[in-house]
Amino acid sequence: MSETAYPSTWRRPPRLVKHRGWRWGLWFGVLLYLVLAAGSVEVDIARVLSGLERGQRFVSGFLQPDFVTRWSDIRQGLIESLTMTLTATVIGILISVPIGIGAARNLTPAPVYLLCRAIIAVSRALQEIIIAIFLVAMFGFGPFAGFLTLSFATIGFLAKLLADDIEEIDARQAEAIRATGASWWQFIDYAVRPQVMPRLIGLSLYRLDINFRESSVIGIVGAGGIGATLNTAIDRYDYDSAGAILLLIIAIVLVSEYASGMLRKYLQ
Amino acid sequence: MTDIGHYREVWRPASAARRLTRWFAWLALVALFVFCWQLMTENTIWAFVSDAPRQAADIGSRMVPPRWSYLPALMAPLWDTINIATLGTLGGIAMAIPVAFLAARNTTPSARFLRPAALFVIVASRSINSLIWALLLVAIIGPGLLAGIVAIALRSIGFIGKLLYEAIEEIDPKPGEAISATGARPAQVLDYAIVPQIVPAFIAIGVFRWDINIRESTILGLVGAGGIGLQLQSSINVLAWPQVTMILLLILGTVVVSEWVSATLRRAMI
Amino acid sequence: MLKIEGLSKAYRTGDVALSSVSFRVPRGQIVGLIGPSGAGKSTLIRCINRLVVPSEGSVMLGEIDLTRLGQRALRRQRRRIGMIFQEYALVERLTVMENVLSGRLGYVPFWRSWLRRFPPEDVRRAYALLDRVGLLQHADKRADALSGGQRQRVGIARALAQEPDLLLVDEPTASLDPKTSRQIMRLLTEICAERRLPAIVNIHDVPLARQFVQRVIGLRDGEIVFDGAPAQLEETTLSTIYGADDWQAMRREHDEQDDAEPSQRLSGAEA
C-alpha cells in the first residue's frame, strides 16, 4: 500500500467564519476592544497595594468571624430580611397568579393580555435595587419598602413564567374539559390548574431563595434587612462582623436551597 | 335511567388524613405569614406609608420630561459599564473553568478534598450578590472600575461554575473511554473527548451570564464601583429627577440591546 | 501474541464477572466471543486493556504483562491495542479526520494534539485509512453528520491509526441493521487478514459470528464453556451457553430475518 499519494497536511476547517479575511478581521476587532477596554481601567497601584492589607484583614475576618460584638444588629437585620422575604413571596405569589393567568394568550382577551404583559415587562426591566431606591423615597426607610420591592420583583418573575407555562399546556386536555361545557372558572380549575400547579410550586420556592438573596442587597439603599447591617459593618471596616454576616447569608442560602429541593421532591 | 340510589353520595379527592394535614399546612403558612408581617411592620411609620401616593405623584411629576441634553455626558459611563460587564465576565469565565472541572464528579482529581472545596467556592460566590462583592471591593481596593470588574468576576464564578460543572457531569462517558483506550494522556482525553462535548453549553452559559452582568453592572456605581450607576447615585443625591429618568431610559435601552446581542450570538455560535 | 492466564474480575459489590479465564490468541486469528448478556464478554475485553482493572491473573501481550504496568507504561502499551466500540464512541462534534487522528494521541506530544498539527506521516496514514474504509471524501465532515455504518468505519480507522498489534472489538454491529452489520464484519475480517492482526470480537449474534470468525469462545457466567472452530458449535453447546429457550428464540429470529432478505445471504459462509 503506497501512502505517498495522500496529502501530508490537514487543517481543521474553520467552524464559524468561512472567509479568511473576515476571520482575521474578527480576531483583530476583539483584540482591539480588549486593549481599549483594559486601557479604560485606571488602576491606582498605590491604592490597591494599601488595600491589600485590608483585604488580608477581610479574609481573616471571614475565617474567624465575629458573631458576638454586633449580634443584636445582626439579629435585627436577619429578622427583617427573613420576614420581608416570606411576606413578599406570599404577597407576590397571590398577585402574580391572576396577572399570570391574564398574561396567557390562550385564556384572556387581547386588552387584558396586553395590560398584564406590560406590568410584567416593567417589573422585569427594572433592577430590584432601582425599585428599592424609589420605594424608599416614597415609603421611607425600613423593611416595608424592602417588602414592597421584593413583592414587585416577584410579580415580574412568577407571572411571566406562569403565563408562559399556561400558554404551553396540553391543548388536548384543555379541549376535553371545554367540551364538557365547563365555565371559564371551571376551565381554569380543571384544565389549567392541574397542569401548572407542580411547576408553580417549584418556581415559588425558587423565588423564595432569590428573594432572600436580594433582601441582603436592598438594605444598601435603605430598604432594611441584613444588607443594611452589612453595609454599616463594611463602612466601619469591621471585617470580623462582615465576615460573620456573609457566612450567615451563605449558610441560610444553602439551607433554604436544600430545604426547597426536599420540599419540591416531597410535593411532586 | 339506571338506579344509582345505592352508591355513596359524598366523594372527596383525598383521604381524610391527607386533607387534615393539608389543612394544617395551610393554617401554619397563614399563621407564619401573619407572624412575619407583625414582626416586619413593628417599626414601620404608617404616616409615611399613607403619604406615599402623594410622594409618588410628586416624584413622578418631577421626573418628566427626561433631560435629553444629559445624554452625551452619559456615553463615557456607559462605555465603562459595558467594559465592567465584559471584562468581568471574561475574568469570571477564566476562574470558573478550573473550578467547574474540580467540582464535576467525573473530572475531579480528588472527590474527597478538592470537590467539596470547589463546591464551596461556587456556593459562596452564588449566595453573595455582585453589589455586595462591589461594596467589599470598594472598601478594599478603592472605588473605580477595577472594583466593579472584580466584583462581577467573583459573582460570575459561582453562576458559570455551577452550570458548567453540571454540563460536564452530563457528558457521554463513552468517547472518553475510547480516547483513553488509544493510550492518550489525561490532558489529551480532556482536549479530545470532554471539551468538544461541553463547548455548546459553555458558550450558552457565558453569553447568558454576560447578558445578566450588563444589567448588574449598571447599578454597581451606587456603591462606587464605576459605571453609569455613579451618575445615578449623584443625580439621586441632588434630587435631579429628570436626569434620573434619562439614566433609567438609557439603562433600559442597554438591557434591551444586550438581550438582543446575546440571543444573536447564541444562535450564531451553536 | 496474546496470552491470558487465570484472569478473574470480582466487583466490589461481590459480583463475579470473570472467573479464571485462560486462552491464547495467535497472530492473525479472529476470535469471536459469544455468550448471553451478563456473561462477562464486555468485562473480559476491557480487562485486556485495563479499562476495567482485573482482580487476578495475567494478560501477556507479546512479552509484557499488562496487569503489572504503571500508568505511564500502561498508556504506552494501550497504543498497541486498538479498540472498536458498540456505539462507535466517536467524539461527535469533532471532524471525521480529528476522530481518526485521535488514534495517534499516544504517539504525539500534547502541543501537537492541542494545535491539531500532527506529523505528516500520521496525516498521510489517516488519509490512507479513510480511503481504505471508503470515507475519503468525508474527512472534513463532523462525525455526527455520518450514518451508523459510516461512523463505525471511522471507529475502525481510529483503531487502525494506532498501528495496533491487537484489536479489541466490542459488539461492533449491535447498533446496525443486518446488511450493514455484515459489511462491517467483512471489512474487519479483511483488514485483519491484510495486516495479520489478531482480534477479539464480542458478538451476540451467533450466526454472524459463525459466518466471519475463525474461532469461537463461549462464555457463561464468567467462565469459558466452549473454545473451538465455529463448525464445532452444536445445538447442545449453544443451548448450554444461552440456555435452551433463549437459544431457540434467537435462532427463530435469525431465520425470519434471513427469509426477509434472501438476496443478501452470503453463500458458503457456514463452511
Side-chain angles (χ1 to χ4, degrees), chain C residues 53 147 250:
Chain C
V53 181
S147 70
M250 254 175 82

Side-chain angles (χ1 to χ4, degrees), chain A residues 131-149 218-219 221-224, chain B residues 43-53 55-56 59:
Chain A
I131 300 170
I133 290 173
F134 278 98
L135 290 173
V136 167
M138 292 177 208
F139 290 85
F141 291 98
F144 193 77
F147 153 76
L148 289 175
T149 307
I218 51 182
V221 293
Chain B
N43 300 324
T44 304
I45 300 162
W46 293 105
F48 281 164
V49 174
S50 57
D51 189 38
Q55 285 285 339
I59 294 174

Side-chain angles (χ1 to χ4, degrees), chain A residues 1 3-13 15, chain C residues 95 97-98 116-117 120 123-124 127-128 131 140 195:
Chain A
M1 195 163 56
E3 292 190 352
T4 43
Y6 298 104
S8 62
T9 53
W10 175 80
R11 291 276 174 276
R12 186 175 52 196
R15 275 177 270 205
Chain C
T95 57
M97 195 60 176
E98 280 168 298
R116 308 311 199 241
R117 295 278 190 277
V123 176
R124 214 174 287 142
Y127 272 116
D131 199 12
D140 285 344
R195 304 171 176 236

Side-chain angles (χ1 to χ4, degrees), chain A residues 33 40 47 51 54 127 217 257, chain B residues 83 126 129 139-140 142 215:
Chain A
Y33 169 74
S40 73
R47 177 66 180 84
R54 251 181 279 175
Q127 287 264 345
V217 184
E257 225 165 65
Chain B
N83 289 342
R126 255 158 46 80
N129 194 294
I140 291 172
R215 285 162 192 261

